[in-house]
Amino acid sequence: MLTDDLARVDLNALQALVMVQDCQSFSEASQRLGVNQSTISYSVRGLRKAFNDPIFVRQGNSIVSTEKGRQLVQEAREILERMQALSSLRAFDPQTSTGSLTISCNHHERMFLIPAFVHEVHRQAPQVAVNIFESAVHGKQQLRENICDIVLGPVAIFGDIYYRRKLFTDSYACIMDPAHPLADAELTMEGYRQTRHIAVTHNGQWEALYFAALRVLDITITPSVIVPSHDNLEPLIRDTELVATIPYRLARRLSDRLTLKRFPLEVLLQIDMYWTERTHYSGLHAWARQILAEVSAKI
């Protein structure tokens, strides 16, 4: 039989526990959950009493979880996701259903998947809202913290709570100004390694897959220009000797204004869709994932 203190633990307390762990802050957790900080403190006090452990301790200017606290957070997260999944086990009618979808992705996916996806959602489910977030390199964290429902991209997200579905593949190509010395001939590896490069790094937190492929050949390039995303490459490249190595589909959209060359190596980009058990059984989200898969098949 449960003790009285343990029996008083409810889902709100578990939600507060997970949010404090994710935010590493009582005040930020209260803001994210839309409650007073005293409510968060009360929930944590109840958990401390029920489990006979401090759960969180102060370390300098931040708080950290104890060993038992980390275990509780992991269990609480799974309980909350299962409860959310159970609440979503109902029929989904696109024409009459309401709700929202939050998808996290980057420029590549926003260019080729999101427009057609949004159009299809609004055509079939006019009352469903779609939110698009920038994932940069934080897709796994966004899924884990329930900031988004789906992550799209050439990423590898591992763990028992994550589901994956392949959407489409791409490769790399190079774009350059039409007056670039390499624009009139086949792009060789020697020419590629000697030119000046512009690279996308999402604020220095991400490295495109082609860098690792080059290192296998003992080739190291040092970009002359680094930018956070793909969205302003054309004006940066025009009238310069900069070369950008980007997904082929993105490069093809700029080929009427810049010169497109095949990247000297064959490096596969696989765009996958990830989600968690929280939305796995949801009629709305299962429908949305199928729409994304259908849109991807037409690329």
Side-chain angles (χ1 to χ4, degrees):
M1 181 178 293
L2 298 177
T3 64
D4 290 341
D5 291 328
L6 197 54
R8 294 191 188 98
V9 174
D10 59 15
L11 293 180
N12 286 328
L14 297 183
Q15 186 170 238
L17 171 71
V18 170
M19 192 60 70
V20 170
Q21 170 71 16
D22 291 342
C23 297
Q24 295 292 290
S25 165
F26 279 53
S27 60
E28 186 177 343
S30 67
Q31 293 174 8
R32 291 274 293 274
L33 292 175
V35 299
N36 295 327
Q37 187 171 335
S38 59
T39 301
I40 300 292
S41 299
Y42 177 81
S43 295
V44 173
R45 281 199 302 271
L47 291 169
R48 284 169 170 162
K49 190 174 181 182
F51 293 98
N52 192 31
D53 188 87
I55 311 295
F56 297 107
V57 295
R58 186 158 294 282
Q59 191 173 86
N61 294 325
S62 61
I63 60 170
V64 296
S65 55
T66 64
E67 180 61 31
K68 180 177 281 189
R70 285 191 290 271
Q71 295 174 1
L72 288 174
V73 167
Q74 181 177 347
E75 295 294 333
R77 202 185 298 277
E78 293 180 4
I79 291 171
L80 291 170
E81 290 184 349
R82 290 184 183 278
M83 294 301 289
Q84 179 67 38
L86 285 172
S87 71
S88 301
L89 288 174
R90 61 179 185 274
F92 174 71
D93 180 1
Q95 285 296 318
T96 60
S97 293
T98 59
S100 65
L101 304 162
T102 301
I103 298 174
S104 179
C105 58
N106 289 323
H107 186 77
H108 190 200
E109 298 76 46
R110 288 198 300 271
M111 289 291 290
F112 296 102
L113 292 181
I114 297 305
F117 171 74
V118 168
H119 293 164
E120 197 62 26
V121 169
H122 286 172
R123 185 182 72 83
Q124 295 189 37
Q127 300 181 76
V128 171
V130 178
N131 305 308
I132 307 299
F133 284 7
E134 178 85 20
S135 65
V137 297
H138 306 298
K140 182 175 182 178
Q141 179 181 351
Q142 291 170 337
L143 272 183
R144 187 177 65 246
E145 296 180 5
N146 301 330
I147 294 173
C148 68
D149 305 317
I150 295 171
V151 166
L152 307 175
V155 295
I157 300 178
F158 301 107
D160 293 340
I161 67 171
Y162 302 105
Y163 294 83
R164 177 177 68 90
R165 180 171 180 174
K166 177 182 174 182
L167 292 181
F168 68 93
T169 58
D170 204 346
S171 58
Y172 282 106
C174 297
I175 51 173
M176 62 191 73
D177 186 84
H180 193 289
L182 299 175
D184 293 331
E186 180 183 353
L187 181 60
T188 65
M189 182 57 71
E190 186 61 28
Y192 177 83
R193 70 191 300 177
Q194 291 183 5
T195 194
R196 300 177 66 205
H197 297 272
I198 180 170
V200 177
T201 67
H202 295 296
N203 296 323
Q205 301 178 76
W206 176 77
E207 182 183 76
L209 298 177
Y210 68 87
F211 280 97
L214 289 171
R215 284 196 295 271
V216 170
L217 300 178
D218 201 26
I219 298 173
T220 301
I221 62 171
T222 302
S224 299
V225 178
I226 293 175
V227 293
S229 69
H230 296 88
D231 54 9
N232 64 336
L233 287 176
E234 181 189 349
L236 289 169
I237 290 172
R238 184 162 291 283
D239 299 322
T240 75
E241 291 192 0
L242 292 169
V243 171
T245 305
I246 63 175
Y248 174 75
R249 285 183 172 86
L250 287 179
R252 190 174 56 191
R253 293 177 75 98
L254 298 172
S255 61
D256 61 334
R257 302 179 295 280
L258 298 172
T259 296
L260 184 152
K261 296 288 184 179
R262 284 285 184 178
F263 182 54
L265 291 177
E266 187 65 34
V267 180
L268 182 68
L269 276 168
Q270 180 169 307
I271 307 302
D272 292 329
M273 170 168 56
Y274 292 90
W275 66 98
T276 68
E277 194 167 18
R278 178 177 66 87
T279 60
H280 184 66
Y281 300 98
S282 162
L284 167 61
H285 293 87
W287 172 81
R289 293 193 297 269
Q290 183 58 33
I291 296 296
L292 280 166
E294 292 173 1
V295 167
S296 299
K298 298 176 182 178
I299 292 179

